[in-house]
Amino acid sequence: MADVSAVRRFPVVADLTLVTAGAMTANVAGYLLQLLAGRWLGVSGYSEFASLLAVQLLCAVPALALQNVVARELVRGAGVAALRGLQWRCAVIVAVVVAVLVPVVTSALNVGVAACAAALGAAPALVLLSGEQGVLQGGRRFRALGVVLGAAGMLRVAPALVVLAVGGGAALALCAAALGIAVAAVFARFVAGTPSARTRTGTDEIAHAIGVLPVLRAAQVQAALMALSSTDLIVVRMVLDDADASRYALGTIAAKIAFWLPQAVGVVLYPRMAQPTHSARAIRSALAVLSGIGVVAVGCAALAAPLAPLLAGRDYAPIQGLLWLFALHGAILAVLQGAMLSAIAVDRTALAALTWLGLAVEVTLMVSFARSIPTLITTVASVASVTTIVVAIIVLRTADRDSSVRALEPERLP
């Protein structure tokens, strides 16, 4: 009971509410895009669209890592101006990597080069957007962060929906979405504003010491998590026919809902995780709340399953009874995300090796044995469960040990 007391205090609950409102606006918009795309593109065309969205999510890893590093360093006293310089350097690096990846991904997934370029081309804009979100998060400006999260989701989805509604294909829709993300990045910069005089003075020396390396360390943590949550969408195109691959892709909407629903928990508690005096309690609180939300999400998915064919079409009826399992997969990954965020907050990113190991096991099992939708989702959910349990145990034990050491430090003083 004491572990979750931190999230029951009114200021934290208010912050959670504000960020949740913005995140849910973005997430609902994203789910609507995938749902309508599944209907308008049909089972023959949706798998390309969904697979490229999954690849885009993987390319967003540097953006998520940058947001976490910016928020962490801002909590520790870094200057906003220098952190923005870091965000531009990261955006340029990502743009170069994207240019190299486009032909590789186009060939590997057998998709159109224009659609692939549009999906991956959004990555540099995502970096700039996330950098500004990190400024707001580290400054605990959660009301403004909620506004940016919601606006970014709408700006990304609305243009793509318009294109799909008038008969445009995956390439045009992804291009419209990329343009919307660029506009969202400009909006986020406007909301975050310029550094105050208080922020600029006395912190430049710290800020200038921050290079790209901390972002790379955080990125490999985010990459492991995103790969574990998205690689199945890529593999299904290799082991299933187009119709079943599209059905599986639509089922993962339930997983994404369960995964992103509690996003605000990590966002709000992350600055506390980065503070040594609050880290252990914040980590325990985050994992407890994430687990509770996950149980609710799985139950809701089971109850809402009969609505899936009505919303997406009768072609997707075969996955109706599996939606609770998709939701369980997402809920488990949400807990894993909370644990890995705590590792980034205290700059102990070597823990990501366990997630990479889980990914290797998952891909091996899927490619070697899984040839049906039930087998695939059971495999990924099982691997995610084992990985999350191991990582959570290590994180909690480490946090408790560090807390005990800090509690004894005053007694060691002469």
Side-chain angles (χ1 to χ4, degrees):
M1 187 67 67
D3 288 346
V4 296
S5 60
V7 295
R8 289 184 174 177
R9 289 196 293 268
F10 176 76
V12 177
V13 173
D15 292 340
L16 285 171
T17 302
L18 293 170
V19 176
T20 297
M24 284 302 297
T25 299
N27 291 335
V28 169
Y31 306 143
L32 181 63
L33 172 61
Q34 295 192 56
L35 187 65
L36 293 178
R39 176 179 288 274
W40 290 337
L41 295 175
V43 293
S44 61
Y46 178 62
S47 63
E48 177 190 29
F49 185 79
S51 294
L52 285 174
L53 284 182
V55 173
Q56 187 182 72
L57 181 61
L58 293 177
C59 289
V61 164
L64 296 173
L66 177 67
Q67 178 174 340
N68 289 325
V69 170
V70 168
R72 182 186 70 199
E73 299 304 326
L74 199 59
V75 168
R76 295 178 177 180
V80 175
L83 289 172
R84 281 180 172 148
L86 172 64
Q87 109 185 6
W88 278 101
R89 291 196 298 276
C90 290
V92 171
I93 293 173
V94 167
V96 173
V97 173
V98 163
V100 175
L101 285 178
V102 168
V104 176
V105 175
T106 299
S107 176
L109 297 184
N110 191 26
V111 295
V113 64
C116 185
L120 301 188
L126 281 171
V127 168
L128 298 177
L129 171 61
S130 295
E132 296 302 326
Q133 290 175 176
V135 171
L136 295 172
Q137 182 183 5
R140 294 182 174 85
R141 297 167 58 189
F142 295 114
R143 183 186 299 273
L145 179 59
V147 171
V148 169
L149 288 172
M154 295 298 295
L155 287 169
R156 169 178 175 263
V157 169
L161 283 179
V162 171
V163 170
L164 290 172
V166 298
L172 288 177
L174 289 168
C175 186
L179 180 61
I181 292 172
V183 174
V186 175
F187 175 71
R189 175 65 178 81
F190 171 77
V191 173
T194 56
S196 64
R198 180 185 61 81
T199 303
R200 289 194 300 266
T201 58
T203 59
D204 283 347
E205 184 176 348
I206 299 176
H208 290 158
I210 302 170
V212 175
L213 186 58
V215 179
L216 294 177
R217 289 200 299 268
Q220 63 95 15
V221 178
Q222 293 287 356
L225 180 64
M226 291 299 102
L228 195 63
S229 65
S230 303
T231 300
D232 58 329
L233 267 176
I234 298 173
V235 174
V236 295
R237 278 186 63 87
M238 304 175 185
V239 299
L240 299 179
D241 59 38
D242 286 344
D244 276 349
S246 290
R247 293 187 183 103
Y248 186 97
L250 198 74
T252 59
I253 294 179
K256 290 181 174 66
I257 292 174
F259 180 60
W260 294 110
L261 178 66
Q263 180 184 14
V265 176
V267 171
V268 172
L269 291 181
Y270 182 82
R272 293 172 181 253
M273 294 178 188
Q275 292 180 308
T277 55
H278 297 97
S279 181
R281 176 176 292 184
I283 293 170
R284 289 195 300 271
S285 298
L287 296 184
V289 174
L290 289 169
S291 298
I293 294 175
V295 171
V296 174
V298 173
C300 290
L303 293 175
L307 298 176
L310 299 177
L311 295 174
R314 299 303 305 175
D315 287 337
Y316 297 97
I319 65 168
Q320 175 180 330
L322 297 172
L323 287 182
W324 71 270
L325 192 51
F326 279 99
L328 177 63
H329 181 219
I332 292 168
L333 291 175
V335 177
L336 179 60
Q337 182 184 45
M340 298 311 294
L341 277 176
S342 71
I344 297 175
V346 296
D347 204 11
R348 289 180 176 167
T349 54
L351 192 60
L354 292 173
T355 307
W356 285 116
L357 177 61
L359 174 64
V361 173
E362 175 184 289
V363 172
T364 300
L365 293 176
M366 291 178 71
V367 173
S368 301
F369 305 106
R371 292 296 180 272
S372 68
I373 294 176
T375 305
L376 283 166
I377 185 57
T378 301
T379 298
V380 298
S382 299
V383 173
S385 297
V386 174
T387 304
T388 300
I389 290 171
V390 174
V391 171
I393 290 174
I394 294 175
V395 164
L396 289 172
R397 286 183 177 178
T398 303
D400 288 338
R401 184 178 65 248
D402 291 348
S403 179
S404 299
V405 170
R406 283 192 297 270
L408 292 174
E409 283 177 351
E411 299 178 10
R412 295 176 180 173
L413 294 176

